[in-house]
Amino acid sequence: MAAPPLCLSFPDVEAAYGRISPHVHRTPVLTNSHLVSLSSRSNVLFKCEAFQRTGSFKFRGATNAVLCAKEACPELPAVVTHSSGNHAQALALAAGMQGVKAHIVMPDTAPRTKLEAVRDTYKAAVTLVPASERQSAADKKLAEIPGSEFVHPSEDPRVIAGQGTVCMELMEQTEEQLGAGSKLDVVIIPVGGGGLASGNSVALRGKWGRDVKIVLAEPAIVDDAKRSFDAGELVKNGPEKSVGDGLNTQLGPNTFPVIKANVDDIYTVTEDDILRNTRLVWERMKVLIEPSAGVGVAVLLSDAFKAKYPPAQFPNVGVILCGGNVDVVDVAAKMAKLP
């Protein structure tokens, strides 16, 4: 029996790239001699989505979703979502830029910095509920506002296509930095809900085909992507939470098939590894990434990754630094307790 069609294709990502480019930042690609030396690679290109509007890649997907919704319904009254923070900020700003009200349901455990940004900076209406009640609260809000649209943080195909524009830029910037016709051998992408990973796997396969290896990076204590990938079917996380709070979400029925079709490997890393490598980027690159972004750096420098993807055969690596919305005091306190 043939596999069902995936929720998006490369033309969807290309269309999103053209649609959102006037509204999003073309984020920088940086390198660092110390991290390159530690990796033993010839080149490591860090795609710095911490410099994106609202501080993460999420603004890309949110912008594409809002623009698509407005194209379909010019009088769109509101968009609704549930999110722990980064998608909440992104949708609030994207909607506001298009004159659409955003209603955000957030867990009552959301980081303070993200809550304040959503409510105070981007002027969204916020409802705080226990994490288990997020979907029901969002459904209630949708029922209260006729014509409003739900924009899922990772399962909405419009969001996934928008996230794929990270690597559309990275592929162009690779040629700018390494020379015309240059390609990366491996791209490392953090994975939580899977929107970033699935959208960019489609982008990479669509433009570079199987010449590039696509590797996902995940906290070991919330490793549903790794376990689902190995089992060939969706499995769930337990109650544990990672310091990489943006990755505490799970794959879904739209993102998992895309990842299964396109990804080569998924590596997991410990909480201590995440904190150490986040600190390494702070100290050496002077980029204030959040721990969710440190997960990819931890995989890059891990023995397991080096063993399967030896530097001599895979000299050029890209790493997506997915965001920079971090409670510095809280994370620094955790770093101070590292052995």
Side-chain angles (χ1 to χ4, degrees), residues 71-188:
E71 289 171 8
C73 178
E75 301 303 318
L76 179 70
V79 289
V80 178
T81 197
H82 54 70
S83 167
S84 63
N86 281 347
H87 177 68
Q89 294 178 75
L91 189 65
L93 178 58
M97 289 172 63
Q98 301 304 319
V100 176
K101 186 64 177 178
H103 291 267
I104 314 294
V105 176
M106 300 183 72
D108 51 17
T109 55
R112 174 187 54 80
T113 52
K114 295 179 180 181
L115 170 60
E116 290 175 352
V118 172
R119 183 182 58 201
D120 302 331
T121 304
Y122 303 122
K123 309 302 181 184
V126 175
T127 302
L128 290 174
V129 299
S132 62
E133 298 176 15
R134 286 183 297 177
Q135 186 62 61
S136 59
D139 291 340
K140 180 180 179 182
K141 185 60 64 176
L142 285 165
E144 292 172 354
I145 309 172
S148 59
E149 274 207 38
F150 182 69
V151 180
H152 193 280
S154 56
E155 284 289 295
D156 191 316
R158 301 167 298 185
V159 169
I160 297 170
Q163 317 304 30
T165 65
V166 174
C167 280
M168 295 296 286
E169 287 182 5
L170 176 60
M171 288 184 283
E172 294 175 356
Q173 291 165 314
T174 296
E175 292 202 44
E176 292 167 6
Q177 295 204 17
L178 302 185
S182 296
K183 297 179 180 178
L184 295 171
D185 301 300
V186 186
V187 176
I188 301 173

Side-chain angles (χ1 to χ4, degrees), residues 316-334:
N316 301 315
V317 177
V319 181
I320 309 300
L321 299 181
C322 55
N325 292 314
V326 58
D327 186 330
V328 176
V329 174
D330 177 63
V331 173
K334 290 181 171 68

